[in-house]
């Protein structure tokens, strides 16, 4: 069940909100937990007990770790907890990838028996949201270990932290210490509920009205084989995907943040106009910010950060982005995508930042946007070979297959461009501040209410029409 | 947030009633929970689909969004519709075919598409040759397509270097084979500018006034096949149709947009009025139409009942209509061989956008039905199913599914039968052909057909079954209806009325509806009785004799005897009554002589009985009474007739 579905919007969410707000405040966590379990069990029946089990084991492990005296015992418990969380992620997400690659390697080395091993293994299904809840679980263990936060006093609160449905599937990645207090006690005013609802609807519209429209064109462009796609269509296809992924992911984060706000949670922001970045380094401070923070705090700094010399700094950065790429998906194109970004991060530090500063703001925004776009090709393509053929279409000028976009596509494309770069202007910045403000004066509230109603109706309509596709007469 | 609750409230209490959405779709089934379906995710999928179709305000929300995209972006999400320039609507398949992209859309390579069409044309040539042996003509009639006739409103499509214009290929193939075939598209392209109005409505998928021109051409072409002379369609002066008086079928694409308000037709709408002219040489053919819904647009504009003696319509491979009434809801129940042979002409509608559909099974089924016996067909299905099981195994399929797949393969390509391969006309014939030809002969002979109808009525069996039984008997040199044993004056006058109606309509050329013709026929019979026209009619005498016997058997004593015999032989009183009537008639030594006055009296009884039979409650009352009194129904009905006639006086 995704947020942008009729079943969520018109059944799960209203029933949940009714149940949640009718429950006395001190029991609301139980209601939220119950609905979160139902939410996860609906989409991943095979894994719900695994997830709950992992939460319970980890909860007691961390409690024991917190009680243990500093030393080998504490470290060991911390290691067990980390291995448990990472182990599940490695097994479910990377085992197939690992076996596949080992098998190819064995084939190259002439080890036929090992090479055939891959085909004998059945594919391992991936529990939804595993990348996100694993990281949340890690932040909890490591924060408690470092003494940043005390362990949760209640098992149900900890399970709720991991399984809370608004951010369970696609983030934002919430540090335990940032919501620990809210888990115990939180207030949600009428203003919170209203602004949370607006945020949710804006996120829904970003996903349904913009990202889904961009996806139609992008899918067509990326589906065409090498040599077929016209260069113009390849560029538009790449741009369409660039906007698709941004409005899809940021829309989902907006929905999660909005839902959380309705209940009194303050989830961290995940996006801050990433396409207005003036360098790839800045891009990563604006794109999927909670992942950036996680990598910074739990990977880059423990690896030594910039404290162990220039060479090691670059290596650390490089490694962080390689792993970040791999976190996005168990495939070589994600690894290359991570390396590609890592390369530009290092280049920024070496010389590129100085060059970009010299060429001016607009040029550096455009340059960064171009680099990010080219990176998305690796991200979107099915594999490295497909990505290479797409690059050939971008720069080869020899394809003949034009993908036509309709008027809705071009209009949405324009809207996506405007909203992606709006904050480059002062007017845009002020507008964003007003729309996403925590406080909402009555007059503005009416405008937002009307806007949210229109967006909700259009989003619901868009969701329905894609499922409703009747024929004039029976098909034969 | 209250907004989010409203759909739940509406769904539960149905506070508002909304217009249902237009179009044909398969509703999502209600989810059935089981641990297995839940673990496999099927229950969740079904629940999402089901609830996605069942939430409050779904209809207006869909309509609102469709209106928004249509008004602002000239777009629709219907996969069937393409919005063209100037808001012309086209059926998407028509546009795809116009641009030669049909094969690509249906993932069919050009070679495979060509091969399919080649199999179809070869099969059609064979079917035609075989049908001609039995005096039946087969022709194809390629319908005009809006996107071809009015392409100036189409939006450009992507250029692909693998274009395949299947319609042109198909046309060439048929012409090369010398197959009787007319293609309306080029003709419509030529004449479209001769008319100050469009031959297709801008918001509809089918032809509009163009249907009149198309039907006229079809009839003229059919006449050349056997040199027969059909009724003439005389076109009147075209008249403008107010938008609010349009037939919804004519703007089917606009309706399918499912917008809040129906998009308006911008061009003026015209219809061509028609009258039918016939003369004493007019032949009224018996035609089987096969294919597209364009047929309905013809029957909506032209009175087919005045042109064809009988007309059946195989709506693709889906439903079988006889004179616009559903005869078989599913084509599985249709006997293709019988239906082919019972007609004089078979008109196979072709439509360029549907060429990828393998002739909706028509040519495959027909060729197999004509040449292959049921036994051989069944054996071949087994053979193909075996080969599928061996070479394309699918663990999810059982043997019956393999057989079904095998059957589909054979119908798609009848050349999988060795005896149907090559360009030559197959020599093999289905042994049932003679049976259906005999049945056709029976149906075409009005007197014999009437006798069979009487037998079916008397024996309470299906008319088709009665014809089949009689045909079977006749092939063995016997007959069940050689003597008019089951006649009563009611049956006789019924027959006479039908014949007189037919005569008035076809020979005298009276253009009236059935009800009017009925009364005209009765007036004519009345006057002919006065003129002693039926005094020496042997059928009439037999019918009169039978009626006399029926009345004699109604005496209490005779009825008691019949009840006793029925009980003894363990048959119904009605059955025993009928048996006695037949026996009495057969043992009569002299037939009674009747005069006009008696005949007139019996005609009055017939008219009264006819009226009584039209009343369902009366007939139910008769049946109940017959059961309660343990009397034959005929006896009770006669009593009712007498009572009505006495009260009239």
């Amino acid at each position: 069940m995704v947020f942008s579905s009729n079943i969520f919007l018109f059944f799960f969410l209203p029933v949940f909100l009714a149940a949640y707000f009718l429950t006395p405040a001190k029991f609301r966590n139980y209601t939220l937990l119950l609905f979160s379990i139902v939410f996860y069990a609906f989409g991943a029946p095979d894994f719900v007990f695994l997830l709950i089990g992992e939460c319970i084991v980890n909860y007691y492990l961390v409690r024991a770790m917190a009680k243990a005296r500093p030393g080998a015992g504490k470290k060991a418990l911390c290691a067990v907890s980390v291995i448990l969380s990472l182990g599940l992620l490695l097994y479910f997400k990377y085992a197939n990838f690992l076996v596949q690659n080992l098998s190819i390697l064995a084939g190259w080395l002439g080890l036929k028996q090992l090479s055939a091993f891959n085909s004998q293994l059945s594919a391992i299904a991936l529990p939804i949201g595993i990348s996100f809840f694993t990281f949340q679980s890690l932040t909890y263990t490591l924060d408690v270990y470092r003494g940043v936060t005390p362990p949760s006093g209640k098992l149900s609160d900890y399970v709720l932290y991991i399984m809370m449905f608004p951010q369970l599937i696609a983030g934002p990645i919430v540090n335990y210490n940032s919501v620990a207090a809210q888990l115990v006690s939180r207030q949600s005013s009428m203003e919170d509920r209203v602004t949370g609802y607006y945020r949710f609807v804006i996120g829904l519209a970003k996903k349904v009205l913009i990202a889904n429209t961009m996806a139609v064109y992008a899918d067509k462009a990326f589906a065409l084989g090498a040599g077929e796609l016209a260069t113009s269509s390849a560029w538009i296809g790449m741009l369409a995907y660039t906007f698709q992924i941004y409005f899809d992911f940021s829309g989902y984060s907006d929905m999660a943040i909005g839902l959380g706000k309705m209940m009194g949670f303050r989830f961290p922001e995940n996006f801050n106009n990433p396409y207005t970045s003036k360098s790839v380094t800045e891009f990563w401070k604006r794109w999927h910010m909670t992942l950036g923070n996680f990598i910074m705090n739990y990977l880059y700094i423990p690896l030594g950060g910039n404290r162990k010399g220039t060479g090691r700094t670059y290596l650390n950065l490089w490694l962080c982005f390689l792993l970040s790429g791999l976190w996005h998906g168990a495939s070589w194109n994600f690894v290359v995508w991570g390396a590609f970004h890592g390369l530009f991060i290092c280049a920024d530090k070496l010389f590129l930042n100085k060059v970009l500063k010299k060429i001016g703001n607009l040029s550096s925004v455009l340059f960064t946007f171009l680099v990010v776009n080219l990176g998305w090709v690796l991200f979107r393509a099915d594999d490295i070979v497909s990505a290479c053929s797409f690059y050939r279409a971008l720069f080869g000028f020899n394809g003949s297959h034009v993908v036509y976009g309709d008027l809705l596509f071009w209009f949405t494309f324009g809207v996506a461009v405007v909203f992606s770069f709006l904050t480059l202007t002062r007017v845009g910045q002020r507008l964003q501040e007003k729309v996403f403000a925590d406080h909402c004066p009555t007059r503005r509230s009416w405008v937002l209410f009307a806007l949210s109603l229109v967006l909700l109706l259009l989003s619901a309509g868009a969701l329905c029409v894609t499922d409703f596709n009747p024929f004039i007469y029976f098909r034969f | 947030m209250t907004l989010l609750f409203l759909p739940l409230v509406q769904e539960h209490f149905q506070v508002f009633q909304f217009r249902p959405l237009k179009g044909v779709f398969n509703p999502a089934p209600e989810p059935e929970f089981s641990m297995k379906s839940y673990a496999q995710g099927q229950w969740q999928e079904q629940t999402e689909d089901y609830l996605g179709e069942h939430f409050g305000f779904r209809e207006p929300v869909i309509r609102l969004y469709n209106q928004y995209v249509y008004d602002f972006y000239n777009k629709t999400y219907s996969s069937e519709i393409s919005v063209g320039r100037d808001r012309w609507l086209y059926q998407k398949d028509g546009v795809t075919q116009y641009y030669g992209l049909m094969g690509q859309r249906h993932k069919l390579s050009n070679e495979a598409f060509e091969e399919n069409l080649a199999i179809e044309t070869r099969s059609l040539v064979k079917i035609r040759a075989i049908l001609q042996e039995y005096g039946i003509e087969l022709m194809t009639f390629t319908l005009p397509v809006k996107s071809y006739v009015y392409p100036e409103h189409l939006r450009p499509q992507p250029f692909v270097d693998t274009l395949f214009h299947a319609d042109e290929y198909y046309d060439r193939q048929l012409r090369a084979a010398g197959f009787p075939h007319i293609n309306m598209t080029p003709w419509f392209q030529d004449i479209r500018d001769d008319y100050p109005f469009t031959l297709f409505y801008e918001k509809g998928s089918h032809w509009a006034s163009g249907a009149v021109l198309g039907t006229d051409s079809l009839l003229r072409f059919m006449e050349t096949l056997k040199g027969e002379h059909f009724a003439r369609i005389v076109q009147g002066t075209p008249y403008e149709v107010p938008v609010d008086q349009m037939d919804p079928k004519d703007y089917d694409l606009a309706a399918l947009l499912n917008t809040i308000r129906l998009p308006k037709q911008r061009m003026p709408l015209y219809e061509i009025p028609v009258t039918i002219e016939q003369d004493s040489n007019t032949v009224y053919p018996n035609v089987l139409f096969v294919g597209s819904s364009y047929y309905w647009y013809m029957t909506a504009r032209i009175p087919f009942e005045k042109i064809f003696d009988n007309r059946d319509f195989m709506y693709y491979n889906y439903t079988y209509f006889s004179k616009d009434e559903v005869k078989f809801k599913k084509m599985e129940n249709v006997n293709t061989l019988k239906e082919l042979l019972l007609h004089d002409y078979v008109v196979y509608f072709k439509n360029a956008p549907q060429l990828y559909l393998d002739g909706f099974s028509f040519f495959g089924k027909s060729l197999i039905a004509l040449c292959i016996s049921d036994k051989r067909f069944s054996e071949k299905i087994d053979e193909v199913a075996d080969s599928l099981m061996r070479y394309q195994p699918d663990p999810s399929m059982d043997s019956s599914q393999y057989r079904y797949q095998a059957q589909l393969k054979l119908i798609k390509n009848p050349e999988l039968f060795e005896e149907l391969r090559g360009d030559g006309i197959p020599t093999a014939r289905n042994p049932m052909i003679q049976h259906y030809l005999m049945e056709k002969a029976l149906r075409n002979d009005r007197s014999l057909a009437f006798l069979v109808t009487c037998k079916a009525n008397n024996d309470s069996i299906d008319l088709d079954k009665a014809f089949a039984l009689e045909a079977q008997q006749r092939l063995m040199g016997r007959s069940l209806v050689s003597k008019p044993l089951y006649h009563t004056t009611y049956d006789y006058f019924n027959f006479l009325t039908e014949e007189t109606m037919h005569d008035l309509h076809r020979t005298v050329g009276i253009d009236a509806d059935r009800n009017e013709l009925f009364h005209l026929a009765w007036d004519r019979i009345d006057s002919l009785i006065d003129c002693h026209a039926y005094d020496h009619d042997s059928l009439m005498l037999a019918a009169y004799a039978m009626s006399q016997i029926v009345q004699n058997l109604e005496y209490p004593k005779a009825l008691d005897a019949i009840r006793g015999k029925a009980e003894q032989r363990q048959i119904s009183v009605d059955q025993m009554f009928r048996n006695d009537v037949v026996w009495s008639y057969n043992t009569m030594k002299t037939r009674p002589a009747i005069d006009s006055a008696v005949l007139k009296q019996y005609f009055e009884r017939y008219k009264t009985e006819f009226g009584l039979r039209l009343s369902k409650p009366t007939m139910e009352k008769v049946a109940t009474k017959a059961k309660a009194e343990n009397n034959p129904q005929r006896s009770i009905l006669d009593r009712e007739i007498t009572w009505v006639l006495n009260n009239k006086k």
Side-chain angles (χ1 to χ4, degrees):
Chain A
M1 191 187 332
V2 292
F3 295 165
S4 53
S5 65
N6 291 322
I7 188 171
F8 181 83
L9 288 175
F10 302 118
F11 293 93
F12 185 88
L13 187 58
V15 172
F16 163 72
L17 289 174
Y20 182 82
F21 288 111
L22 289 172
T23 308
K26 62 177 178 179
F27 298 118
R28 280 181 181 170
N29 275 1
Y30 295 112
T31 307
L32 178 54
L33 179 60
L34 179 72
F35 274 83
S36 296
I37 292 171
V38 169
F39 181 86
Y40 196 77
F42 189 86
D46 293 344
F47 300 112
V48 67
F49 294 110
L50 178 88
L51 178 57
I52 294 172
E54 196 232 336
C55 287
I56 295 169
V57 173
N58 206 42
Y59 173 76
Y60 287 108
L61 267 175
V62 173
R63 268 176 79 91
M65 179 188 77
K67 280 180 191 165
R69 285 186 191 161
K74 189 166 185 154
K75 264 189 188 166
L77 284 168
C78 179
V80 171
S81 169
V82 169
I83 288 168
L84 174 70
S85 301
L86 277 181
L88 286 175
L89 180 67
L90 286 173
Y91 173 72
F92 283 109
K93 193 164 179 176
Y94 302 104
N96 285 332
F97 179 62
L98 194 71
V99 172
Q100 249 171 28
N101 284 286
L102 282 176
S103 166
I104 292 167
L105 191 68
W108 286 346
L109 297 173
L111 305 168
K112 280 185 184 168
Q113 277 186 325
L114 263 179
S115 173
F117 180 60
N118 178 36
S119 58
Q120 291 162 18
L121 283 180
S122 55
I124 297 163
L126 186 70
I128 47 174
I130 192 167
S131 306
F132 291 92
F133 66 70
T134 300
F135 275 20
Q136 294 212 160
S137 160
L138 284 174
T139 69
Y140 175 68
T141 305
L142 296 170
D143 283 355
V144 173
Y145 177 75
R146 290 170 183 172
V148 177
T149 181
S152 170
K154 235 173 154 182
L155 173 65
S156 62
D157 283 355
Y158 173 69
V159 180
L160 180 60
Y161 159 67
I162 298 291
M163 291 194 72
M164 205 189 305
F165 77 85
Q167 39 74 265
L168 172 65
I169 307 297
I173 300 163
V174 183
N175 286 354
Y176 176 72
N177 66 340
S178 67
V179 287
Q182 295 164 35
L183 281 168
V184 179
S185 158
R186 60 186 174 274
Q187 296 287 320
S188 80
S189 63
M190 185 51 81
E191 202 167 36
D192 283 338
R193 290 172 207 172
V194 171
T195 51
Y197 160 75
Y198 292 155
R199 187 73 186 261
F200 176 81
V201 174
I202 289 169
L204 180 71
K206 279 163 93 172
K207 158 75 185 147
V208 177
L209 300 180
I210 301 180
N212 287 2
T213 309
M214 293 292 104
V216 175
Y217 193 100
D219 288 349
K220 279 185 196 165
F222 278 90
L224 285 167
E228 281 184 55
L229 191 61
T231 298
S232 58
S233 297
W235 278 91
I236 298 163
M238 180 181 73
L239 287 166
Y241 182 69
T242 297
F243 294 123
Q244 179 201 338
I245 192 166
Y246 170 55
F247 284 96
D248 189 305
F249 199 2
S250 72
Y252 208 90
S253 293
D254 285 335
M255 285 189 269
I257 293 167
L259 284 171
K261 203 170 181 187
M262 285 188 224
M263 292 178 275
F265 285 102
R266 295 285 184 273
F267 294 148
E269 290 295 334
N270 221 10
F271 292 87
N272 180 17
N273 304 296
Y275 294 147
T276 61
S277 307
K278 295 184 216 45
S279 67
V280 173
T281 308
E282 189 186 343
F283 174 79
W284 276 102
K285 288 176 183 161
R286 291 169 174 271
W287 177 272
H288 203 173
M289 290 142 72
T290 55
L291 174 70
N293 287 341
F294 179 89
I295 287 174
M296 168 70 87
N297 293 328
Y298 301 96
L299 190 61
Y300 179 68
I301 293 173
L303 281 171
N306 57 3
R307 290 161 294 160
K308 295 192 174 174
T310 317
R312 185 67 189 271
T313 303
Y314 291 123
L315 182 67
N316 289 343
L317 279 170
W318 178 260
L319 269 177
C320 284
F321 276 88
L322 265 184
L323 290 172
S324 157
L326 198 58
W327 177 84
H328 281 88
S331 169
W332 282 110
N333 44 324
F334 290 109
V335 178
V336 177
W337 174 76
F340 173 83
H341 276 270
L343 187 77
F344 276 91
I345 298 274
C346 293
D348 277 349
K349 283 209 181 300
L350 282 167
F351 67 93
L352 201 54
N353 264 342
K354 286 173 199 158
V355 177
L356 289 172
K357 266 179 194 160
K358 273 186 190 166
I359 62 172
N361 284 349
L362 189 63
S363 304
S364 50
V365 167
L366 288 175
F367 173 79
T368 309
F369 185 64
L370 176 69
V371 171
V372 170
N373 264 280
L374 293 173
W376 287 135
V377 173
L378 285 163
F379 199 90
R380 173 61 180 79
D382 293 334
D383 48 43
I384 301 270
V385 178
S386 311
C388 290
S389 79
F390 200 89
Y391 285 124
R392 273 202 298 279
L394 284 170
F395 300 104
F397 303 99
N398 55 2
S400 58
H401 200 134
V402 176
V403 181
Y404 282 91
D406 57 23
L407 204 56
L408 176 64
F409 168 77
W410 289 113
F411 175 77
T412 313
F413 189 85
V415 170
V417 171
V418 168
F419 282 103
S420 295
F421 298 101
L422 192 66
T423 50
L424 285 173
T425 63
R426 281 197 189 153
V427 180
Q429 284 164 5
R430 276 207 294 274
L431 188 70
Q432 181 177 271
E433 280 163 17
K434 283 186 178 172
V435 171
F436 292 118
D438 279 341
H439 304 291
C440 196
T442 316
R443 194 191 296 169
R444 197 193 304 158
S445 191
W446 278 110
V447 175
L448 284 173
F449 175 77
L451 186 70
S452 72
L453 182 63
V454 171
L455 291 179
L456 183 67
L457 283 173
L458 290 180
S459 303
L463 282 175
C464 293
V465 292
T466 45
D467 289 341
F468 176 71
N469 203 346
F471 298 114
I472 313 179
Y473 308 104
F474 282 99
R475 282 264 138 170
F476 311 96
Chain B
M1 280 194 292
T2 318
L3 279 176
L4 295 172
F5 290 90
L6 293 179
L8 269 184
V9 176
Q10 164 65 16
E11 178 61 17
H12 195 74
F13 298 105
Q14 295 292 320
V15 184
F16 304 100
Q17 292 299 318
F18 300 110
R19 255 185 306 158
L21 296 164
K22 291 273 178 192
V24 178
F25 57 94
N26 292 326
E30 211 167 320
E32 281 177 33
F33 184 83
S34 71
M35 280 316 288
K36 192 181 168 194
S37 69
Y38 168 68
Q40 290 175 344
Q42 286 164 353
W43 177 78
Q44 291 89 318
E45 260 178 50
Q46 285 174 352
T47 306
E48 285 213 39
D49 292 345
Y50 183 76
L51 294 181
E53 280 181 15
H54 294 85
F55 66 90
F57 302 107
R58 178 171 177 263
E59 293 86 357
V61 161
I62 287 178
R63 285 187 185 279
L64 179 77
Y65 190 75
N66 282 336
Q67 189 77 58
Y68 161 71
V69 291
Y70 180 72
D71 282 351
F72 288 95
Y73 312 110
N74 289 336
K75 183 182 166 78
T76 170
Y77 278 87
S78 167
S79 59
E80 279 241 54
I81 303 176
S82 175
V83 183
R85 290 186 177 129
D86 309 316
R87 302 252 160 126
W88 271 58
L89 301 180
Y90 293 90
Q91 216 168 346
K92 202 166 262 174
D93 272 351
V95 179
T96 313
Q97 182 52 52
Y98 179 77
Y99 285 114
L101 296 164
M102 187 57 83
Q104 195 188 56
R105 185 174 178 193
H106 295 282
K107 299 193 171 28
L108 204 57
S109 71
N110 291 352
E111 294 72 29
F113 207 163
E114 266 186 25
E115 180 54 21
N116 289 353
L117 292 176
I119 292 171
E120 178 170 344
T121 26
R122 280 200 296 271
S123 299
L124 286 175
V125 169
K126 291 170 194 166
I127 295 166
R128 177 171 180 248
I130 298 167
L131 286 177
Q132 273 185 322
E133 291 170 15
Y134 311 116
I136 301 158
E137 282 293 340
L138 166 69
M139 64 168 287
T140 54
F141 182 67
T142 300
L143 297 155
V145 184
K146 189 176 171 183
S147 50
Y148 286 67
V149 182
Y150 296 100
E152 64 271 30
H153 300 284
L154 292 174
R155 290 188 184 283
Q157 289 280 308
F159 168 77
V160 199
D161 48 9
T162 53
L163 296 174
F164 177 58
H165 288 283
D167 49 313
E168 290 169 13
Y169 177 82
Y170 186 71
D171 215 46
R172 279 199 304 275
Q173 290 277 309
L174 287 174
R175 281 183 205 291
F179 192 86
H181 162 64
I182 43 172
N183 188 346
M184 286 284 105
T185 300
W187 186 56
F188 266 53
Q189 285 168 334
D190 286 346
I191 62 163
R192 50 165 265 184
D193 294 329
D194 298 344
Y195 291 87
F197 50 87
T198 55
L199 304 172
F200 285 82
Y201 287 160
E202 70 183 53
K203 300 283 192 282
S205 60
H206 299 82
W207 52 11
S209 41
V212 173
L213 310 175
T215 311
D216 190 42
S217 304
L218 171 67
L219 286 176
R220 301 291 76 84
F221 187 78
M222 281 170 70
E223 281 180 327
T224 64
L225 296 174
K226 285 194 199 175
E228 288 177 325
H229 169 72
F230 300 153
R232 302 256 139 204
I233 295 176
V234 181
Q235 296 173 28
T237 312
Y239 62 94
E240 197 170 336
V241 184
V243 174
D244 58 348
Q245 286 175 24
M246 275 179 79
D247 184 336
K249 280 211 301 282
D250 290 329
Y251 51 84
D252 52 359
L253 294 178
L256 194 71
L257 286 174
N258 280 310
T259 45
I260 292 171
R261 56 187 160 73
L262 209 59
K264 277 190 182 155
Q265 168 101 7
R266 294 174 183 194
M267 308 276 290
L269 307 168
Y270 278 85
E271 284 291 350
I272 303 172
V274 296
T275 48
I276 304 298
E277 274 185 2
Q278 50 209 341
D279 55 40
S280 53
N281 294 324
T282 302
V283 172
Y284 300 90
N286 187 351
V287 185
L288 173 64
F289 295 95
V290 182
S292 162
S293 44
Y294 273 61
Y295 172 81
W296 303 125
Y297 292 75
M298 296 158 91
T299 57
R301 287 172 172 84
I302 295 134
F304 268 24
E305 65 279 5
K306 291 183 182 173
I307 300 172
F308 303 110
D309 184 41
N310 186 28
R311 63 196 149 87
D312 291 338
F313 177 42
M314 275 188 194
Y315 182 42
Y316 297 103
N317 190 26
Y318 195 72
T319 310
Y320 191 96
F321 293 86
S322 188
K323 288 183 179 169
D324 304 342
E325 299 287 330
V326 175
K327 190 172 174 188
F328 298 104
K329 210 165 179 188
K330 294 280 171 201
M331 284 299 287
E332 296 96 90
N333 304 326
V334 174
N335 181 333
T336 308
L337 179 64
K338 179 179 167 181
E339 297 307 331
L340 282 174
L341 294 175
L342 290 188
H343 294 85
D344 306 324
Y345 292 87
V346 179
V347 177
Y348 181 33
F349 288 135
K350 293 304 292 184
N351 197 345
Q354 293 173 334
L355 285 173
Y356 72 95
L357 282 173
D358 300 323
F360 12 95
S361 304
F362 168 71
F363 71 86
K365 276 187 177 175
S366 301
L367 187 58
I368 291 170
L370 284 166
C371 302
I372 305 294
S373 68
D374 291 351
K375 189 171 168 247
R376 166 88 175 108
F377 191 27
S378 182
E379 284 167 358
K380 188 73 183 173
I381 290 173
D382 287 338
E383 185 189 317
V384 177
D386 276 350
S387 127
L388 283 175
M389 265 188 260
R390 197 167 304 156
Y391 300 111
Q392 293 170 28
D394 180 348
S396 67
M397 288 199 337
D398 60 22
S399 60
S400 66
Q401 284 165 313
Y402 277 112
R403 274 184 63 82
Y404 178 68
Q405 290 299 328
Q407 193 177 345
L408 290 184
K409 272 190 185 297
L410 288 167
I411 288 170
K412 186 180 172 184
N413 182 7
E415 293 184 1
L416 290 172
F417 285 95
E418 296 77 7
E419 53 270 55
L420 301 181
R421 277 180 205 156
D423 290 327
I425 307 304
T427 49
R429 293 288 179 273
N430 190 326
M432 287 303 288
I433 286 178
Q434 291 312 318
H435 174 92
Y436 295 122
L437 289 175
M438 176 58 79
E439 208 180 310
K440 184 180 186 176
L442 279 174
R443 285 172 189 265
N444 285 348
D445 184 318
R446 297 183 69 84
S447 306
L448 283 175
F450 177 70
L451 291 176
V452 175
T453 310
C454 289
K455 180 165 175 55
N457 285 340
N458 278 296
D459 291 358
S460 304
I461 57 168
D462 180 56
L463 186 60
D464 281 347
K465 196 177 169 191
F467 273 113
L469 284 170
E470 179 60 21
Q472 205 176 6
Q473 290 296 316
R474 279 179 182 252
L475 283 173
M476 292 189 287
R478 296 194 291 262
S479 172
L480 296 172
V481 292
S482 53
K483 287 180 192 172
L485 285 183
Y486 297 98
H487 275 193
T488 64
T489 47
Y490 178 82
D491 294 331
Y492 174 77
F493 282 118
N494 226 356
F495 170 61
L496 205 58
T497 307
E498 284 289 337
E499 283 293 286
T500 313
M501 279 168 70
H502 185 259
D503 196 42
L504 286 171
H505 179 51
R506 292 284 156 84
T507 316
V508 184
I510 292 174
D511 184 12
D513 65 18
R514 194 175 159 78
N515 197 30
E516 216 175 313
L517 276 174
F518 209 92
H519 288 102
L520 287 172
W522 278 2
D523 289 346
R524 192 181 162 102
I525 294 168
D526 253 334
S527 56
L528 285 171
I529 290 172
D530 292 339
C531 301
H532 308 281
Y534 305 114
D535 279 5
H536 303 291
D537 187 333
S538 60
L539 273 178
M540 175 65 240
L541 292 174
Y544 174 68
M546 296 284 275
S547 288
Q548 287 289 302
I549 292 165
V550 166
Q551 282 177 14
N552 288 337
L553 287 177
E554 279 173 19
Y555 291 116
K557 271 189 183 175
L559 278 177
D560 281 345
I562 286 168
R563 276 188 218 111
K565 275 193 251 175
E567 210 169 302
Q568 206 178 354
R569 293 179 197 179
Q570 292 185 326
I571 55 173
S572 71
V573 177
D574 269 296
Q575 186 62 49
M576 193 60 237
F577 187 77
R578 274 202 295 271
N579 291 353
D580 252 31
V581 174
V582 174
W583 181 82
S584 305
Y585 179 84
N586 281 334
T587 50
M588 274 178 86
K589 282 181 184 160
T590 48
R591 300 274 161 85
I594 55 167
D595 57 21
S596 291
V598 178
L599 201 54
K600 197 120 190 172
Q601 189 192 331
Y602 272 91
F603 189 47
E604 280 307 310
R605 287 188 73 81
Y606 158 74
K607 285 181 186 172
T608 311
E609 185 174 341
F610 189 86
L612 289 175
R613 280 176 185 266
L614 286 179
S615 159
K616 210 179 162 191
T618 307
M619 291 312 289
E620 279 168 2
K621 204 173 89 185
V622 166
T624 322
K625 238 182 198 174
K627 210 174 172 188
E629 293 177 14
N630 198 17
N631 270 348
Q633 278 196 33
R634 176 75 249 172
S635 158
I636 307 293
L637 193 59
D638 268 332
R639 233 191 283 162
E640 283 288 318
I641 297 164
T642 310
W643 186 86
V644 172
L645 284 171
N646 288 340
N647 277 296
K648 234 190 214 172
K649 279 172 194 167

